[in-house]
Amino acid sequence: MKLIQITDLHYVNSGQQVHGLYPEERLKSCISDINTNHADADHCIITGDLVHNDSIETYESLRDCLRTLSVPYHFLIGNHDNRENFHQVFPETPCDENGFIQSVVDTAVGRLMLLDTVEHGQNWGTYCEKRRKWLHVQLAASRERIVYLFMHHPPFKIGLPCLDRIRLINDGHHLHKIIEPHKNIQHIFLGHVHRPVSGSWKGIPFSILRGINHQVPFDFKALEVVPKNHEPPSYAVIFLEPEQTIVHFYNFLDNSVYPYEPKSRA
Ligand SMILES: [Fe+2]
């Protein structure tokens, strides 16, 4: 099964900039590249920070833009999003019984569990008892299945102080307590970091990729303010099979790939 992950769109209306770049143009380029090269993907998961400023008008404009994406897409929200405004514009997006934007996407290979880690008004994330209860119920009903988790905020430190400060504060160990007994979490896909990072957390592999607009520099000294830069944006092409998980990061605006011409076979 083939998935696409895109993250941290920080979308604003046409002609507006965020950190010196145009998110709407970038999202259109990303969608065009996916439609051209990966229209056969089964799902596209958008892992939060859908918009930069969380007004209803911005979500409406985002909705119009996403209409052109030919792969079925599913949302997480991030710290730049507003749960209520998002849900007003995307009312068909499933949520749990408490209104958190959490859902399960059933696939032939396994279950994709999309978690809501947003604490309104804060850049750091949380995963409260109500949300944990929902996950506990979902995992209990999925004992025979492989499970893939999707979250905006990493539940662990990655070693970059400015980002560690705004990770899933306090709740990483609570989350692990819920998932640990099940032994069926194959991979965790994350956003929020605006950098490519991979590794494992308590034995569970994870991957994080760059955003669609600005990125965060490889800076181990920054602490209070998260710096931004213009490294190239990426989307991920993910192949899920029962025995393996493969994650490719593709810099869709990197001009250096253009001289490449596939050789025809003799
Ligand atoms: Fe972001």
Side-chain angles (χ1 to χ4, degrees):
M1 195 180 62
K2 185 177 185 178
L3 295 187
I4 303 292
Q5 183 188 2
I6 62 178
T7 196
D8 293 82
L9 321 181
H10 288 260
Y11 184 89
V12 290
N13 290 334
S14 181
Q16 295 178 9
Q17 289 189 1
V18 172
H19 301 302
L21 300 165
Y22 293 92
E24 184 244 8
E25 281 181 15
R26 290 193 154 210
L27 180 59
K28 283 185 170 169
S29 299
C30 179
I31 289 172
S32 168
D33 204 283
I34 292 168
N35 287 348
T36 302
N37 298 300
H38 303 290
D40 60 336
D42 297 280
H43 300 280
C44 174
I45 313 294
I46 310 176
T47 48
D49 279 359
L50 309 173
V51 297
H52 193 65
N53 304 308
D54 56 13
S55 71
I56 286 176
E57 293 71 28
T58 310
Y59 282 117
E60 285 171 343
S61 177
L62 173 64
R63 186 174 184 117
D64 288 341
C65 196
L66 286 171
R67 278 186 218 282
T68 58
L69 178 58
S70 58
V71 178
Y73 52 88
H74 312 269
F75 295 110
L76 277 67
I77 57 170
N79 48 295
H80 277 264
D81 292 299
N82 177 287
R83 199 174 282 118
E84 285 70 32
N85 289 353
F86 164 79
H87 213 246
Q88 194 164 322
V89 179
F90 295 93
E92 71 281 9
T93 302
C95 54
D96 70 14
E97 65 271 23
N98 294 301
F100 293 108
I101 313 294
Q102 305 202 108
S103 61
V104 174
V105 180
D106 237 334
T107 75
V109 177
R111 287 197 164 145
L112 318 181
M113 295 194 181
L114 317 187
L115 311 189
D116 179 337
T117 59
V118 170
E119 176 75 13
H120 271 170
Q122 303 295 342
N123 284 326
W124 43 263
T126 191
Y127 203 62
C128 63
E129 207 175 332
K130 286 178 179 171
R131 284 174 266 192
R132 297 200 298 266
K133 197 173 169 195
W134 174 88
L135 180 60
H136 176 73
V137 170
Q138 300 308 319
L139 289 172
S142 310
R143 288 211 169 92
E144 310 301 317
R145 306 295 309 277
I146 293 172
V147 171
Y148 304 90
L149 294 184
F150 291 78
M151 307 170 63
H152 184 70
H153 296 85
F156 45 79
K157 291 184 177 180
I158 59 166
L160 292 169
C162 65
L163 290 162
D164 289 342
R165 201 172 49 78
I166 56 170
R167 71 187 187 283
L168 191 76
I169 293 284
N170 298 328
D171 291 330
H173 66 285
H174 292 305
L175 176 71
H176 183 253
K177 239 170 106 176
I178 292 170
I179 64 180
E180 203 277 333
H182 294 277
K183 315 282 185 203
N184 60 348
I185 313 296
Q186 194 91 329
H187 198 96
I188 306 177
F189 298 92
L190 298 153
H192 192 50
V193 168
H194 294 241
R195 289 210 60 76
V197 187
S198 66
S200 66
W201 175 57
K202 298 179 189 290
I204 304 171
F206 72 85
S207 54
I208 317 176
L209 71 157
R210 291 196 180 114
I212 295 299
N213 193 58
H214 54 280
Q215 315 307 333
V216 173
F218 194 52
D219 182 341
F220 288 85
K221 291 181 182 150
L223 178 60
E224 291 305 320
V225 177
V226 180
K228 317 290 190 301
N229 74 10
H230 292 186
E231 287 177 62
S234 302
Y235 65 81
V237 179
I238 300 160
F239 295 99
L240 301 183
E241 296 174 30
E243 304 81 19
Q244 62 180 39
T245 303
I246 302 297
V247 184
H248 296 272
F249 302 111
Y250 181 58
N251 300 337
F252 59 92
L253 291 184
D254 184 352
N255 289 334
S256 65
V257 302
Y258 290 135
Y260 168 74
E261 292 289 341
K263 285 181 186 160
S264 58
R265 292 180 187 220

